[in-house]
Amino acid sequence: MTREDELIHRIEQGDPDAVEELVKIYYPEILRYCLWHAPDRSLAEDAAQETFFKAVRYFNHYVHKGKFKAFLYQIAANTCVDMRRKRWLSDFSYEELALDFACAETGFEEIHSNLFLKQVVCRLPDDLREIVILRFGQDLTLKEIANIVGLPLRTVQSRLNSALKRLRKEFEKGGFYES
Amino acid sequence: MNHKTFEMHLEAALHRSTDIPADQTPGPDLINSRNQGHMDAVIWELKKEVVKKRSRKRIGFSDFLLLQIKMTGWKIWLLQGMMFLGFVFLITAILGPYIWLDHRYTTKLLCYFSILISMTALPFLHRSVHYKMQEVEAATRFSSMRLLLAKMLLLGIGDVFLLNMVLITAALRTSIYTGSLVLYLLFPFLLANGGALFLIGHLNAGHFLQGSLAFYTLLITLVTVVRYFSPAFFQQTLSSGWLAACAGMTVFCIWQLRYIIYRSSYSEMQLN
């Protein structure tokens, strides 16, 4: 039994300390994921909080087969979409988000090529961008990504390859040939 | 630039997008003080939620059903019975009192009855679908769809009782083969219920009543049309073909019920 299995079993029994441990494991990556989808940090924090609340509220619906991470990410993805529809700015743009991160979070210390790469990622179609963020921003495996987005592994692989091809092309067009 | 290098570059660029380290090792030292503060607040609220969830009185589905039978089940059944009697008087008023004595019309009447019996559930289903039983949901912590299913179960018990009463009455008063009586009660009933379940699962709450009324009207019209243009249809027996048709309709009803439950879970968690 893994540590996660044990924690989930304890949460099923209503142990609040197990919830604390599970949040500590997943909070950083869920917040990071929400930061990609929210116009600002405080809304990303709201989305992350709502994600964990929903996970606890609908815990009875989750049948543990070692896919708790996928369960959590699915909730996070849908929470971000829902919040964007209800509360966030209607003209929310991923491109501005990339710039905001560069300017606000790094104090203009961002390497030019990194900024350019982020902007290009933000210009990808939604389905490709999501896979790139999950793979390279959240360090998930392709199998985990397939579980989260609900697509076959081959489709995820093919979309990732397509996204990487596009990104590389744009990157090289931008004049970056770093080896 | 080779693929591997580009991917490393991309990973580094995306990780620098946020000030949250990508390292998966748990521990407060790996996130900054602002994140730590928010995480602590989330943990605090979640712990309260878990304790609240644990301490709330849980009602099992069967206990809830028994409670519902005592509180509202008898009202539902009484109203179903009254609606059914209303239909009987309406048919007598339209077709005359001798319709009940003329055995040529028995199988046709059974078809109408089975559709009308299915229709008696409509006012109760409309109320549940429309208002989603939020107050009961809060008290029992069942999803609104599971509450709807409990109500459908109660209505189903009422339907089965009415169907059996009609079957027994027809069997005692006519010399028609029992298999035929069962066929002309069961198949239209399953058809009507399958359609109603499909509409519950696929129609939004605002259109459910109109959609269901339209569907039932269509069914009754269909029976009437068949009655005039293909009267041989009403001289069938419960053959293996008809049994297979009934089995198929039963499977369809179960499939729609599962869809309603499935949709319930996913729509509440917003999982697509």
Side-chain angles (χ1 to χ4, degrees), chain A residues 14 20 27 29 31-32 41 45 53-54 56 58 74 78 82 101 113-114 118 136 139 168 178, chain B residues 1 3 9 15-19 21-22 24 34-35 38 45 47 50 53-54 269-272:
Chain A
E20 177 174 357
Y27 176 86
E29 66 181 289
L31 178 62
R32 194 168 59 246
R41 173 174 285 278
E45 286 173 349
F53 263 92
K54 280 184 182 173
V56 164
Y58 297 113
Q74 281 177 320
N78 285 291
D82 196 48
F101 277 139
S113 66
N114 285 345
K118 285 197 303 265
F136 295 103
D139 292 333
R168 233 181 118 158
E178 199 174 316
Chain B
M1 181 189 291
H3 287 303
H9 202 79
H15 284 169
R16 284 200 196 98
S17 295
T18 71
D19 55 2
Q24 294 296 305
R34 179 176 169 166
N35 303 130
H38 185 257
E45 293 298 326
K47 278 177 152 182
V50 166
K53 203 175 164 178
R54 189 182 61 193
M269 287 189 289
Q270 299 172 285
L271 294 173
N272 296 312

Side-chain angles (χ1 to χ4, degrees), chain B residues 35-195:
Chain B
N35 303 130
Q36 180 68 50
H38 185 257
M39 188 178 75
D40 289 342
V42 169
I43 288 170
W44 171 250
E45 293 298 326
L46 275 178
K47 278 177 152 182
K48 284 199 299 189
E49 181 73 19
V50 166
V51 169
K52 222 191 307 180
K53 203 175 164 178
R54 189 182 61 193
S55 62
R56 251 179 255 172
K57 191 179 174 194
R58 291 172 194 267
I59 304 177
F61 189 77
S62 49
D63 290 335
F64 171 70
L65 199 60
L66 281 169
L67 199 66
Q68 283 296 295
I69 289 172
K70 271 190 233 173
M71 287 174 60
T72 59
W74 66 271
K75 288 181 206 167
I76 290 172
W77 295 330
L78 184 67
L79 279 166
Q80 275 185 296
M82 282 170 60
M83 280 176 71
F84 180 70
L85 284 173
F87 290 139
V88 169
F89 287 129
L90 192 66
I91 289 172
T92 310
I94 295 170
L95 300 174
Y98 298 104
I99 198 78
W100 308 110
L101 304 173
D102 192 340
H103 298 164
R104 291 175 299 164
Y105 294 101
T106 301
T107 51
K108 300 166 185 89
L109 283 173
L110 290 179
C111 280
Y112 286 123
F113 271 133
S114 63
I115 295 170
L116 292 171
I117 285 168
S118 174
M119 261 185 93
T120 59
L122 209 52
F124 308 101
L125 288 177
H126 166 66
R127 200 176 176 282
S128 292
V129 166
H130 200 74
Y131 297 108
K132 293 193 191 296
M133 298 175 75
Q134 277 139 347
E135 64 288 350
V136 186
E137 178 184 343
T140 62
R141 298 182 58 250
F142 276 112
S143 67
S144 53
M145 274 300 172
R146 282 183 165 76
L147 292 168
L148 174 63
L149 284 173
K151 193 165 254 187
M152 285 199 285
L153 206 58
L154 290 175
L155 290 164
I157 293 169
D159 287 345
V160 166
F161 178 78
L162 286 172
L163 284 170
N164 278 302
M165 288 295 106
V166 169
L167 177 66
I168 291 167
T169 308
L172 289 173
R173 299 191 68 169
T174 70
S175 56
I176 297 172
Y177 171 54
T178 311
S180 298
L181 298 176
V182 169
L183 171 64
Y184 291 111
L185 275 175
L186 189 61
F187 186 74
F189 179 75
L190 287 172
L191 196 62
N193 271 12

Side-chain angles (χ1 to χ4, degrees), chain B residues 190-203:
Chain B
L190 287 172
L191 196 62
N193 271 12
L197 286 170
F198 179 84
L199 291 173
I200 290 172
H202 295 86
L203 224 52

